Amino acid sequence: MRSIWKGSIAFGLVNVPVKVYTATEDHDIRFHQVHAKDGGRIKYDRVCTVCGESVQFTEIDKAYESPDGDKVILSDEDFAKLPVAEKHEIPVLQFVPSEQIDPILFEKSYYLEPDSSTPKAYVLLARTLEKIERTALVYFTLRQKTRLAALRVREGILVVQTLLWPDEVRSVDFESLDGVAEPRPQEIKMAETLVEAMSDDFDPEQFTDEYQIELKRVLDEAIASGTGKVPEQPELAPSGMDAEVVDLVAALQRSLEASGRRTAGGDGGEPKKTAKKAAAKSAGGKSGAAKSSAAKSGASKSAAKKTPAKKAAKKAPARKGA
């Protein structure tokens, strides 16, 4: 596994350096969308609804539209000014009884590995959480997004599980449940008996994803038999410049513009004049060199014309003498 974040847990005055790893992965089989006629991959183009042109990723900004229809565009510079930056600290806020955290709030899980040559503080925090049977509430900032999270122990390893904010969980009230009569005691008793008969300890290894297993079998059979196999066909060459090249050119252009603004101190005034003067000098130098070259070329041609004439003049008397 490759760590996606490095920082530390702030546990009072104790600092615990850690590395963060994604704890889960999706095992679903992925499919590409293809043209049913020839099996060609379907590509998507980012098209502007105003000018109708394809837009490169480097030219895309984020816009927000308010409920009243007001639209504003924020650039990368605007987001960089926000106070929520990439914080490399996981502060412990408080410890709460684990059963008080509603499972619906759990979002994504991350493993924490000690990032120190002496992981004593890491082990101390893990053992303490196991002993008190409580969960630590922390703030966890990843990719410039701060979440409330639960810090707990799983098989001796610290785990951070991001939590949804309370307003991200929908409140619900189904009218179909209004006025429904309460179950009778006899019905509840029978249901409890059925639950008792079906009760067992939870072992996740008992359960398998039958759909994915069967899908993999179908794919293996299709590959072995050649059924539905797509023949290799050359893709059409892209018209004009390749998208990646265009993206690179756009990125370089933005870098040059940014460099020009920094040199100009923000107004881009004087450096442009200096650049124009430099260009003029360069052009003048090239022009002078061109004129010099042309003069030399003319002189050379003139000399070439005169040389045969002199030879002819010297040879002429020789013929008369003969």
Side-chain angles (χ1 to χ4, degrees):
M1 291 191 297
R2 184 176 62 88
S3 65
I4 61 172
W5 188 92
K6 286 185 179 183
S8 61
I9 302 172
F11 173 39
L13 298 178
V14 179
N15 192 271
V16 185
V18 293
K19 296 178 182 178
V20 175
Y21 300 84
T22 303
T24 59
E25 60 184 0
D26 188 356
H27 68 190
D28 287 352
I29 295 174
R30 302 292 182 183
F31 290 90
H32 301 300
Q33 289 188 331
V34 298
H35 189 186
K37 182 173 67 174
D38 53 23
R41 288 281 297 273
I42 303 298
K43 295 183 178 180
Y44 293 92
D45 192 11
R46 295 178 289 267
V47 179
C48 176
T49 58
V50 176
C51 64
E53 296 181 358
S54 296
V55 181
Q56 302 305 320
F57 185 77
T58 53
E59 299 176 353
I60 296 177
D61 284 331
K62 296 179 180 179
Y64 167 78
E65 187 169 350
S66 70
D68 297 331
D70 296 321
K71 184 184 293 185
V72 292
I73 298 176
L74 297 184
S75 64
D76 292 339
E77 290 78 9
D78 295 318
F79 285 103
K81 297 175 184 176
L82 296 176
V84 182
E86 192 72 23
K87 298 178 182 177
H88 290 270
E89 185 177 80
I90 305 175
V92 176
L93 307 176
Q94 58 182 335
F95 296 91
V96 300
S98 301
E99 65 271 13
Q100 291 184 0
I101 302 178
D102 191 333
I104 198 173
L105 294 174
F106 289 113
E107 190 178 24
K108 195 165 184 180
S109 302
Y110 301 89
Y111 288 131
L112 303 184
E113 178 191 15
D115 189 22
S116 173
S117 57
T118 55
K120 186 176 180 179
Y122 180 99
V123 176
L124 172 63
L125 179 56
R127 295 296 178 269
T128 303
L129 287 174
E130 286 178 329
K131 189 174 182 62
I132 64 175
E133 296 181 350
R134 283 178 174 251
T135 298
L137 291 182
V138 301
Y139 279 142
F140 181 43
T141 302
L142 182 65
R143 300 184 184 95
Q144 295 188 332
K145 187 176 182 180
T146 299
R147 310 293 305 189
L148 184 65
L151 176 65
R152 64 182 186 85
V153 181
R154 182 179 186 270
E155 298 178 356
I157 303 297
L158 290 176
V159 177
V160 161
Q161 290 180 279
T162 54
L163 303 174
L164 298 173
W165 296 106
D167 60 354
E168 292 180 311
V169 179
R170 292 177 175 178
S171 58
V172 63
D173 183 15
F174 293 127
E175 295 181 359
S176 57
L177 294 175
D178 295 342
V180 177
E182 286 293 321
R184 293 177 298 174
Q186 183 183 1
E187 294 172 333
I188 293 179
K189 184 65 176 177
M190 292 178 63
E192 289 177 349
T193 303
L194 178 59
V195 169
E196 186 64 28
M198 298 177 63
S199 295
D200 200 351
D201 292 329
F202 176 61
D203 180 8
E205 298 297 330
Q206 296 181 29
F207 308 95
T208 55
D209 190 344
E210 295 294 339
Y211 177 84
Q212 294 297 322
I213 294 174
E214 192 64 19
L215 177 60
K216 182 67 166 59
R217 184 187 63 79
V218 171
L219 291 172
D220 290 341
E221 290 179 355
I223 293 173
S225 64
T227 305
K229 193 171 182 179
V230 180
E232 290 291 336
Q233 296 184 13
E235 295 185 359
L236 293 175
S239 58
M241 197 178 287
D242 187 78
E244 291 185 4
V245 177
V246 175
D247 280 348
L248 177 59
V249 171
L252 290 172
Q253 180 63 34
R254 284 194 172 187
S255 300
L256 288 172
E257 291 173 357
S259 176
R261 286 197 295 269
R262 286 195 296 270
T263 306
D267 57 4
E270 188 61 27
K272 289 184 179 179
K273 293 180 181 178
T274 306
K276 287 181 180 179
K277 289 180 181 179
K281 288 181 180 180
S282 176
K286 290 180 180 179
S287 177
K291 288 179 180 179
S292 177
S293 176
K296 289 180 180 180
S297 176
S300 176
K301 288 181 180 178
S302 176
K305 289 180 181 179
K306 289 179 180 178
T307 301
K310 288 180 180 179
K311 287 182 179 180
K314 289 179 181 180
K315 288 180 180 179
R319 289 196 194 98
K320 288 179 180 180

